[in-house]
CSV table of all heavy atoms in Angstrom, one decimal:
chain,number,residue,atom,x,y,z
A,673,ASN,N,-56.0,5.3,-37.6
A,673,ASN,CA,-54.7,5.4,-38.1
A,673,ASN,C,-53.6,4.9,-37.2
A,673,ASN,O,-52.7,4.3,-37.6
A,673,ASN,CB,-54.5,6.8,-38.6
A,673,ASN,CG,-55.2,7.3,-39.8
A,673,ASN,OD1,-55.7,6.5,-40.6
A,673,ASN,ND2,-55.4,8.6,-40.0
A,674,ILE,N,-53.8,5.3,-36.0
A,674,ILE,CA,-52.8,4.8,-34.9
A,674,ILE,C,-52.9,3.2,-34.9
A,674,ILE,O,-51.8,2.6,-34.8
A,674,ILE,CB,-53.0,5.4,-33.6
A,674,ILE,CG1,-52.7,6.9,-33.6
A,674,ILE,CG2,-52.2,4.7,-32.5
A,674,ILE,CD1,-53.2,7.7,-32.4
A,675,ALA,N,-54.0,2.7,-34.8
A,675,ALA,CA,-54.2,1.3,-34.7
A,675,ALA,C,-53.7,0.6,-36.0
A,675,ALA,O,-53.0,-0.5,-35.9
A,675,ALA,CB,-55.7,0.9,-34.6
A,676,GLU,N,-53.9,1.1,-37.1
A,676,GLU,CA,-53.3,0.5,-38.4
A,676,GLU,C,-51.9,0.6,-38.4
A,676,GLU,O,-51.1,-0.4,-38.8
A,676,GLU,CB,-54.0,1.1,-39.6
A,676,GLU,CG,-55.4,0.8,-39.8
A,676,GLU,CD,-56.1,1.6,-41.0
A,676,GLU,OE1,-55.5,2.5,-41.6
A,676,GLU,OE2,-57.3,1.2,-41.3
A,677,LYS,N,-51.2,1.7,-38.1
A,677,LYS,CA,-49.9,1.9,-38.0
A,677,LYS,C,-49.3,1.0,-37.1
A,677,LYS,O,-48.2,0.3,-37.4
A,677,LYS,CB,-49.5,3.4,-37.5
A,677,LYS,CG,-48.1,3.7,-37.6
A,677,LYS,CD,-47.8,5.2,-37.2
A,677,LYS,CE,-47.3,5.2,-35.9
A,677,LYS,NZ,-46.9,6.5,-35.4
A,678,LEU,N,-49.8,0.8,-35.9
A,678,LEU,CA,-49.3,-0.1,-34.9
A,678,LEU,C,-49.3,-1.6,-35.3
A,678,LEU,O,-48.4,-2.3,-35.2
A,678,LEU,CB,-50.1,0.0,-33.5
A,678,LEU,CG,-49.6,-0.7,-32.3
A,678,LEU,CD1,-48.2,-0.3,-32.0
A,678,LEU,CD2,-50.5,-0.4,-31.2
A,679,GLU,N,-50.4,-2.0,-36.0
A,679,GLU,CA,-50.6,-3.3,-36.6
A,679,GLU,C,-49.5,-3.5,-37.6
A,679,GLU,O,-48.9,-4.6,-37.6
A,679,GLU,CB,-52.0,-3.4,-37.2
A,679,GLU,CG,-52.3,-4.7,-37.6
A,679,GLU,CD,-52.4,-5.8,-36.6
A,679,GLU,OE1,-52.9,-5.6,-35.5
A,679,GLU,OE2,-51.9,-7.0,-36.9
A,680,HIS,N,-49.3,-2.5,-38.5
A,680,HIS,CA,-48.2,-2.7,-39.5
A,680,HIS,C,-46.8,-2.9,-38.9
A,680,HIS,O,-46.1,-3.8,-39.4
A,680,HIS,CB,-48.3,-1.5,-40.4
A,680,HIS,CG,-47.2,-1.5,-41.5
A,680,HIS,ND1,-47.2,-2.3,-42.6
A,680,HIS,CD2,-46.1,-0.7,-41.6
A,680,HIS,CE1,-46.1,-2.2,-43.3
A,680,HIS,NE2,-45.4,-1.2,-42.7
A,681,GLN,N,-46.5,-2.0,-37.9
A,681,GLN,CA,-45.2,-2.1,-37.3
A,681,GLN,C,-45.0,-3.5,-36.6
A,681,GLN,O,-44.0,-4.0,-36.7
A,681,GLN,CB,-45.1,-1.0,-36.3
A,681,GLN,CG,-45.0,0.3,-36.9
A,681,GLN,CD,-44.9,1.5,-35.8
A,681,GLN,OE1,-45.5,1.4,-34.8
A,681,GLN,NE2,-44.2,2.5,-36.2
A,682,ILE,N,-46.1,-3.9,-36.0
A,682,ILE,CA,-46.0,-5.3,-35.3
A,682,ILE,C,-45.7,-6.3,-36.4
A,682,ILE,O,-44.9,-7.2,-36.2
A,682,ILE,CB,-47.2,-5.5,-34.4
A,682,ILE,CG1,-47.2,-4.6,-33.3
A,682,ILE,CG2,-47.3,-7.0,-34.0
A,682,ILE,CD1,-48.6,-4.6,-32.6
A,683,ARG,N,-46.5,-6.3,-37.4
A,683,ARG,CA,-46.3,-7.3,-38.5
A,683,ARG,C,-44.9,-7.3,-39.0
A,683,ARG,O,-44.3,-8.4,-39.3
A,683,ARG,CB,-47.2,-7.0,-39.6
A,683,ARG,CG,-48.5,-7.9,-39.4
A,683,ARG,CD,-49.4,-7.9,-40.7
A,683,ARG,NE,-50.6,-7.2,-40.4
A,683,ARG,CZ,-51.0,-6.1,-41.0
A,683,ARG,NH1,-50.3,-5.6,-42.1
A,683,ARG,NH2,-52.1,-5.4,-40.7
A,684,MET,N,-44.3,-6.1,-39.2
A,684,MET,CA,-42.9,-6.0,-39.7
A,684,MET,C,-42.0,-6.6,-38.7
A,684,MET,O,-41.1,-7.3,-39.2
A,684,MET,CB,-42.6,-4.5,-40.0
A,684,MET,CG,-43.4,-3.9,-41.2
A,684,MET,SD,-43.5,-4.9,-42.7
A,684,MET,CE,-41.8,-4.6,-43.2
A,685,HIS,N,-42.2,-6.4,-37.5
A,685,HIS,CA,-41.2,-7.0,-36.4
A,685,HIS,C,-41.4,-8.5,-36.3
A,685,HIS,O,-40.5,-9.2,-36.1
A,685,HIS,CB,-41.5,-6.3,-35.1
A,685,HIS,CG,-40.9,-5.0,-34.9
A,685,HIS,ND1,-39.5,-4.8,-34.7
A,685,HIS,CD2,-41.3,-3.7,-35.0
A,685,HIS,CE1,-39.2,-3.6,-34.6
A,685,HIS,NE2,-40.3,-2.9,-34.8
A,686,GLU,N,-42.7,-9.0,-36.5
A,686,GLU,CA,-42.9,-10.4,-36.4
A,686,GLU,C,-42.3,-11.2,-37.6
A,686,GLU,O,-41.8,-12.2,-37.4
A,686,GLU,CB,-44.4,-10.7,-36.6
A,686,GLU,CG,-45.2,-10.3,-35.3
A,686,GLU,CD,-46.7,-10.5,-35.4
A,686,GLU,OE1,-47.2,-10.4,-36.4
A,686,GLU,OE2,-47.3,-10.6,-34.3
A,687,LEU,N,-42.2,-10.4,-38.8
A,687,LEU,CA,-41.6,-11.0,-40.0
A,687,LEU,C,-40.1,-11.2,-39.7
A,687,LEU,O,-39.4,-12.1,-40.2
A,687,LEU,CB,-41.7,-10.2,-41.2
A,687,LEU,CG,-43.2,-10.2,-41.8
A,687,LEU,CD1,-43.3,-9.3,-42.9
A,687,LEU,CD2,-43.6,-11.6,-42.2
A,688,ASP,N,-39.5,-10.3,-38.9
A,688,ASP,CA,-38.0,-10.2,-38.7
A,688,ASP,C,-37.7,-10.9,-37.4
A,688,ASP,O,-36.6,-10.9,-36.9
A,688,ASP,CB,-37.4,-8.9,-38.6
A,688,ASP,CG,-37.5,-8.2,-40.0
A,688,ASP,OD1,-37.5,-8.9,-41.0
A,688,ASP,OD2,-37.6,-6.9,-40.0
A,689,LEU,N,-38.6,-11.6,-36.8
A,689,LEU,CA,-38.4,-12.3,-35.4
A,689,LEU,C,-37.4,-13.5,-35.5
A,689,LEU,O,-37.8,-14.5,-36.0
A,689,LEU,CB,-39.7,-12.7,-34.9
A,689,LEU,CG,-39.8,-13.0,-33.4
A,689,LEU,CD1,-39.5,-11.8,-32.6
A,689,LEU,CD2,-41.1,-13.6,-33.1
A,690,ASN,N,-36.2,-13.2,-35.2
A,690,ASN,CA,-35.2,-14.2,-35.2
A,690,ASN,C,-34.9,-14.7,-33.8
A,690,ASN,O,-34.8,-15.9,-33.5
A,690,ASN,CB,-33.9,-13.8,-35.9
A,690,ASN,CG,-34.1,-13.5,-37.3
A,690,ASN,OD1,-34.9,-14.2,-38.0
A,690,ASN,ND2,-33.5,-12.4,-37.8
Side-chain angles (χ1 to χ4, degrees):
N673 288 340
I674 291 170
E676 287 175 355
K677 182 179 110 178
L678 187 57
E679 183 69 36
H680 175 72
Q681 289 174 330
I682 291 168
R683 266 192 250 122
M684 296 306 291
H685 279 283
E686 287 173 339
L687 291 173
D688 293 333
L689 196 65
N690 294 324

